[in-house]
Amino acid sequence: MSLMKDAGLKISIDSMGSIFGTWSGSSGDRIDGRPVATGSHIDAVPRAGAYDGTLGVLGGIEAIRSLKESGFKPLKPLQVIMFTSEEPTRFGLSCISSRAMAGALDAQSLARLKDVNGTTFVEAAHGAGYALDFEDEKSIIASARQHAFSAFVELHIEQGPELEADRIDIGAVTAIAAPSALQVRFSGSGGHAGALLMKYRNDASLAASELAIELEKAVLSTQSHDTVGTVGKWIIEPNAINSVPREAYLEIDIRDIDKARRDYVLDRIRNATETIAHKRKLQYTFEVLNTDPPAQADKAIVEAIQEGAKRFGLSSKSMVSRAYHDSLFMAQLTRMGMIFIPCEGGKSHRPDEFASSDDIANGIKVLAYTMAKLAGGESHQHSEL
């Protein structure tokens, strides 16, 4: 908020805790309409780095500040947003505030969100000083849905190695993959690892192993490098060397930019879960925790990003984002685009995550150019950004 104030932006905070900094032009400017927005998040996964999300917030503030100082006169307001709870670390659901803005989060789902201490999201929001004017979570979501935008562009590190490996300065994102998140539990009777003969066992861990291999087969069968699947969480009970596993709990992530292809993999895993459980005489549960639609970037925004890169003498390439971002839900509200910059070794969600100051500056220049083009208005000296 201090940086937004220093940049001369008007600050507002919604009931979900997202912070908005808005520039409506200089005194006397004729400016109207829905804002051209940018932004990202500053929350992080455990032992993460300093650039994921944070770049898009600080870079957005700097992009608007530089446009102001260059004398640019926009026809639409420019806005930077710091979204609340993009990472699912505390409440187990990603992009909470942008999801609510898009109307993709109902009151019942919000009420169920709890952290490891049993604190609900609504209680945490009240404790942090947000949503104090609202009596229930329905009002919170209704407030979030009031936002309207002309366009949204997010600046982000790639979180992958392609740009660095190809020595490309700027990635113009054309689509964002969205995951289906699944929970699978196999339950058997267990037993003594020495005394229980193999023919009498219904080993939950072996069932989980089969399902993990089936996931890989299903993903590879699409013959698309945009389809990925991961068994990211695997809990075995009683988790003892001398006990046959009687419980196996899996959390599975399936992603693709093509919804039909992703759902094909999901259906194969659903069927495989039933088949494996029946064959191994196990009980099972299968739950789809979340399934969001992939998003396509707006063609005109992609072209503006590529044009901006060219204007500053930077190389660029079209690419897909396989990671989740607030832009996924902003695409349900308005035209959306994303700008990627390289990150060292493609490393992200770890302490040694890094992006160079030169790459950061390049990304902010292209972001400023793209926002200026989307906002319209009088020409400014882009070389001075």
Side-chain angles (χ1 to χ4, degrees), residues 327-340:
S327 289
L328 183 73
F329 292 96
M330 295 302 287
Q332 298 179 29
L333 286 170
T334 188
R335 300 182 295 154
M336 177 276 295
M338 286 195 75
I339 300 166
F340 277 174

Side-chain angles (χ1 to χ4, degrees), residues 190-196 201 203 236-246:
H192 192 287
L196 189 62
R201 298 186 180 194
D203 189 324
I236 301 298
E237 295 291 347
N239 199 30
I241 190 172
N242 58 351
S243 292
V244 176
R246 60 176 175 265

Side-chain angles (χ1 to χ4, degrees), residues 11 56 104 128 251 271 338:
I11 295 174
E251 290 189 2
N271 294 334
M338 286 195 75

Side-chain angles (χ1 to χ4, degrees), residues 68-84:
K68 287 183 61 180
E69 292 186 356
S70 74
F72 177 57
K73 297 183 180 298
L75 296 180
K76 298 176 182 178
L78 300 181
Q79 188 174 75
V80 58
I81 309 170
M82 191 218 77
F83 291 99
T84 298

